[in-house]
Amino acid sequence: MTRFVLGRVAQMAVTLLGASVVVFTVLRLMPGDPALVYAGPFAGSDVVEAVRDRMGLHDPLPVQYLLWLKAFVTGDLGVSSISGLPVSQLVGSALAQTALLTLTTSLLAIGVGVPLGLLAALRKGTWADRLVAGFNTVALGVPNFWLGLILVIVFAINFSILPAGGSAKLTEDPLGALTSLVLPTIALGLAPAAMLARLTRGAVIEVMHEDFMTMAAAKGMSIGFVIRRSLLRHVFLNLLPVLAILVGSLLTGAAIIESVFTLPGAGRLIIESTRQRDYAVLQTLLVIFVAVFLLVTFVADILYSVLDPRVRGHLMREGGVR
Amino acid sequence: MKRHLIRLCLALAVLLLLPACGSGGGGGGTGGGSEELTIAAAEQFDGFDSTSLAGTNIQAAVMRQLYDTLVALDADRKPQPRLAESWEQSPDHRTMTLHLRPGLKFSDGSPLTAQDVVWNVTHGQDEKTAATARPLFMAISKATAVDPATVQLTFPKPLAAPFDMLDYLFIAKPQDDPQKLKNSPVGSGPFKLEKWDAGTSATLTPNPSFWDAKSVKLKRVTFKFAGDLQAAQLLFRSKQADFLFDSTWKDFASFAKQSGVQTLMAGDGGRVEMFLLNAAKPPFDNADARRAFAAALDRGAITKTVYRGQTEAWCLPWPEGSVGYEASPDLARSCSADPARSRELLTKAGHADGLRFSILTVAGIDAEVSQVAQQQLAKAGLNAKIDSVEDTVFFDRAFAGDWQVLTSTVQRVAHDSATSIQLGVPLQNGGVSNFKSDEYQRLIDSVLYENPGSDRVADMRKLNEFLLDQAFFVPVTSQNPHYVFAKDVKGLQVTLDGYLILQNVSVG
Amino acid sequence: MTTEMTEPVTATPNAAAESTRSALLSVRDLQVDLVRGESRTRLVDGVSLDLAAGETLCLVGESGSGKTLTAMSVMQLLPGGVEVTGGSVELGGRDLLRATTKELRAVRGNAIGLVSQDPMTALDPLVPVGVQVGDAIRAHDRRISKAAIRARVTELLSAVGIPNPAANARRHPHEFSGGMRQRVGIAIAMANRPRLIIADEPTTALDVTVQAQILDLLDTARRESGAAVLLITHDLGVVAERADRVLVMYAGKVVEQADVLDLFDRPAHAYTEALLRCSPGATSGAGEPIPGTSARAGALPTGCAFHPRCRIGADRPRCQQETPALLTLGTRHDSACHYPAEVTR
């Protein structure tokens, strides 16, 4: 197991390094000169050159990359080329905001989606099943930003019971921060909830067909007992890859919803810094995104092996094979 | 494409919302506190560098709050004392002596002396600073601190409008680290920066060391950055902001009809929308081709459709009251479309069969203007293709000279028109359009400096005629800053350029 | 042509109906249908059987003959869409078809233990085997202590021949061989000392070498507990060794039932005869396959469902047109063949 973990960590480090090269190169191949963003398109060449010099854009690309990498691994993420603020501060606060929204959204999606899917599967073919299917169709069909706008219009403007946008910080104004998360969480979480409900229903029905479920019934176990003992574990294992992708994609930014609700999260930061060709911010953010995805899948794999003794046994014997 | 779709949907949703809440925003959004103002803005601050006036409107909006100038121009373009309580000019107008108010302090409580003013001048002149108003500062050959309360400025040639330059000289506390000047501003204005979360909000609180601190009524000013126009509007409508800093012309026109809110279109001259024609590249290296372009344009139709009739068609980039306008009011606003003449000029330029070219523009109002212009131009045989690109691509191509026509705005034309030419890169000799002529330089110099024995107004008229004839830039309309705010916001003032002055604002 | 009228109709119809009321399990005229909206397909048609305590009854037939459905009808654990539409199932005099869900749950795993066909899939791969055995106990005794469960589990595992039972209880199914898993399966079935054990082809998925061990284990369990065993198999060798009585099914119907020796000595149905011939394990089977394919529910041939494949009746109009009834031929021997006399050993 340890060997497996170490192996995977090493593998992730290599992937991350490769990703950083790609990110670095692609950003620089992208049209758009950050010096011009800073100085304006009509600035004199002397001014633009001065700005380029200050941004370190005159060094050859490999040198720029190595300088950045060296600073990056020593924890110096540099400063934004536009605002001059430390990248760590910008990225940190954006990621914290997004992580919070990811947490609430995931909780909503799982808390609503899994029970609904369970209900639909256990009452397969009844009106409850059809009701859940109807909910799923609607929730998956409505674009989340539109839903967000409707929520804002109804709850923030017409009834004024919840804020339209949130910039309150959890540490400074916990209540304000949480209430401002209610609407975006609903807007963002409803479709994943429906997706999870569908997948859960399918997974439950699939697991229900397993011999061991018949066997459990033959033992005289009640349905509640079977759900707790076997069904949920299997359904969770089935859903784990999807959950990993869901959490990963939420963490890497829900830019549109963040725009609708004026949440200063990672999605908005990436759009804004792309617009401004803020290399320092973009590089850090993109590398962190890659790391997040690697980490989430890694955690999912670990969870998988913890929950599935077959995989665990395999890993123990083989020392970790992907 | 997807982005456009999203914008469309956002716009639709906002449209839905219009009848739903006729009264719109309105005070009390910030907890009923009568001394707090929350401003919803689409864009965010890039920083608070006192010399950086380019970039977004919001950037210019915060300048006057954080920094004061020695002298400021009032609505009649008359200098008013600010940090300097008095001044005198030498008889030859080559030196100006300014006397600072006694006991001036920066927002951190440290004293503000003549030496600090000198630092700001030399800092603004430094190439590395990349100050927006550097061309104006370069007119100062020497700045000295005669004593801690007296500054003396020397000009190589007597300036016709020296106070314009002083109106842009924001006094910041000297700091060696350029990042600090940007992030941790220490200023001399009525407010100081309390807190800045880039991308989220910035909070200003009164500067207790401000020389006129007792006039400041607001206890807190918060800028909230919404990310786009629609989101900003949602903040305003849900009463989370009492001031909407920017809105589309369509929304502004609709707000202007509502009774629950106040609207203000700041004075002319903040920005002028214009086409620039590249004089270094065919086909517009030919003056007749440029004249044909200018003659084909129906500015009135553009303002009516794109600006919802809120603005006026301009032929010269000078607002009323400026020397440029007063020199030739007959030319400044009357330039109706003349496709027949345009065709004639085109034939003269050797393009009897018509002309193909492209207009470089960015999505948004500039692209809308281009599209309306495209149809007008086509009637005269000028067939334009519209290249609507992302900001950064626009910057790259504009900087590299890779364009034939582009849309642009020139900012701050409300001051003396000669100053405006010097400051506005598109208007300069050898500026963005690559138009360069000795004649133009001679005309500029004739209005920029005080030339004994010459008639400045007559010179300005000659300059205007020259500009209309050469047509390397073609003004379309003024594009003034326009604000929407709650009924209980009182005492709002704007600068000559239309930017916010919050010193005397109160809420409730 | 002459043979057609030689058959003496001495048999009484539905002989099983008159057998003893003392049977532990008594199934009468069981009908199982596949219900899809309006359409119904008969899968099990009028099966009756009796099983006394301590007795082993083998259900024999090709796959699809309805033997598993018959057995699972007893537990009321039928796949979705499959329903019991007629008959009765009595266990110890109680009609299980009229029992509530709660009552059924009390019977399952308690009075009736199930040993499933495939020990690879019948155990939850995510749950330690000890827990799975323990669940069978806990399902019927909410108040039992964890320690008591653990002790009983160890005892059960030990009884089915799992070495080092306390430690192995903590292992997961994938760590066991097929035979060991089936031992666990038997431990689960025996957990609450059932009166009836249903074993659905308990050895088909196993290595030949361990098949006998598992069947021995089942036998031992039966002997020690006095339970009745309903053993489903298609292996006539197993039948010969383990069964007291045999019930042969074809296309959802009982075609012959008899005491085991009687059946092997004097098969009275052409299908039974064919089965005996094709089974290499059976006493004198030649390994001849039965020609043709098994009749499919919903598309049964007219007359005797077996006639298209029958050595005797393939060309006889009576077999083609007239459905034979299950008639008693002699002592505890019933057959549904028009020409039982022509069936040879």
Side-chain angles (χ1 to χ4, degrees), chain B residues 157 421-422 427-431 435-449 451 463 466-467 472:
Chain B
K157 285 193 209 167
I421 292 176
Q422 210 179 13
L427 311 183
Q428 288 167 1
N429 189 25
F435 176 85
K436 204 170 167 87
S437 91
D438 294 342
E439 169 72 355
Y440 188 35
Q441 192 58 52
R442 201 186 53 74
L443 287 164
I444 292 173
D445 286 347
S446 72
V447 292
L448 192 55
Y449 302 109
N451 301 303
L463 181 91
F466 181 84
L467 289 176
F472 58 87

Side-chain angles (χ1 to χ4, degrees), chain A:
Chain A
M1 194 71 177
T2 320
R3 239 181 87 196
F4 163 73
V5 172
L6 288 178
R8 278 295 296 274
V9 168
Q11 196 187 355
M12 289 199 299
V14 173
T15 311
L16 212 52
L17 195 71
S20 74
V21 175
V22 173
V23 163
F24 192 92
T25 316
V26 167
L27 282 184
R28 266 140 249 261
L29 291 179
M30 193 165 63
D33 185 341
L36 290 180
V37 175
Y38 184 88
F42 306 140
S45 344
D46 44 349
V47 171
V48 173
E49 283 306 302
V51 172
R52 278 197 188 131
D53 211 41
R54 205 164 61 204
M55 290 181 176
L57 298 174
H58 278 138
D59 294 328
L61 271 193
V63 174
Q64 284 186 44
Y65 173 73
L66 289 175
L67 284 175
W68 171 74
L69 187 68
K70 189 180 152 206
F72 189 89
V73 292
T74 54
D76 173 13
L77 305 181
V79 296
S80 155
S81 67
I82 301 301
S83 66
L85 290 174
V87 172
S88 52
Q89 182 192 326
L90 291 169
V91 170
S93 76
L95 283 178
Q97 172 72 64
T98 298
L100 196 60
L101 184 60
T102 300
L103 183 72
T104 56
T105 306
S106 306
L107 287 180
L108 177 83
I110 294 169
V112 171
V114 171
L116 280 186
L118 207 56
L119 177 77
L122 295 179
R123 299 268 179 278
K124 189 179 157 197
T126 65
W127 61 269
D129 187 15
R130 282 191 286 274
L131 207 66
V132 172
F135 162 80
N136 291 347
T137 310
V138 172
L140 286 170
V142 172
N144 58 17
F145 62 88
W146 184 81
L147 180 63
L149 277 168
I150 295 301
L151 290 173
V152 167
I153 291 169
V154 173
F155 293 102
I157 295 178
N158 285 359
F159 293 121
S160 297
I161 48 176
L162 285 164
S167 49
K169 286 216 164 110
L170 196 61
T171 46
E172 289 160 14
D173 177 11
L175 191 68
L178 289 179
T179 52
S180 65
L181 278 175
V182 173
L183 296 183
T185 299
I186 295 173
L188 201 55
L190 222 50
M195 187 187 72
L196 280 184
R198 269 190 188 175
L199 292 171
T200 303
R201 181 180 180 275
V204 169
I205 289 171
E206 194 187 312
V207 175
M208 287 293 229
H209 279 125
E210 295 277 1
D211 282 355
F212 58 78
M213 294 299 285
T214 311
M215 196 62 214
K219 282 196 259 181
M221 289 166 76
S222 67
I223 186 69
F225 194 178
V226 180
I227 288 174
R228 266 177 290 130
R229 175 69 81 213
S230 285
L231 189 70
L232 285 183
R233 295 190 202 199
H234 285 271
V235 168
F236 184 70
L237 269 187
N238 261 335
L239 296 182
L240 199 55
V242 182
L243 288 175
I245 291 171
L246 174 70
V247 170
S249 56
L250 284 174
L251 269 180
T252 49
I256 298 166
I257 283 297
E258 286 173 2
S259 289
V260 172
F261 291 99
T262 60
L263 289 171
R268 254 182 81 193
L269 183 60
I270 202 155
I271 287 180
E272 197 61 25
S273 44
T274 304
R275 218 168 54 75
Q276 300 182 322
R277 298 296 187 268
D278 198 334
Y279 289 163
V281 173
L282 276 177
Q283 267 151 218
T284 305
L285 209 48
L286 290 174
V287 167
I288 288 178
F289 281 0
V290 175
V292 162
F293 257 105
L294 289 173
L295 207 65
V296 167
T297 42
F298 177 63
V299 168
D301 281 0
I302 294 284
L303 263 180
Y304 214 104
S305 70
V306 166
L307 290 172
D308 193 333
R310 292 165 295 186
V311 179
R312 186 168 62 222
H314 182 70
L315 292 180
M316 280 173 175
R317 282 191 307 277
E318 307 290 325
V321 184
R322 200 96 207 251

Side-chain angles (χ1 to χ4, degrees), chain C residues 148-171:
Chain C
I149 290 183
R150 209 177 306 127
R152 175 85 178 117
V153 167
T154 314
E155 188 190 318
L156 279 165
L157 290 178
S158 165
V160 297
I162 303 261
N164 200 0
N168 275 324
R170 287 192 293 273
R171 294 185 183 275

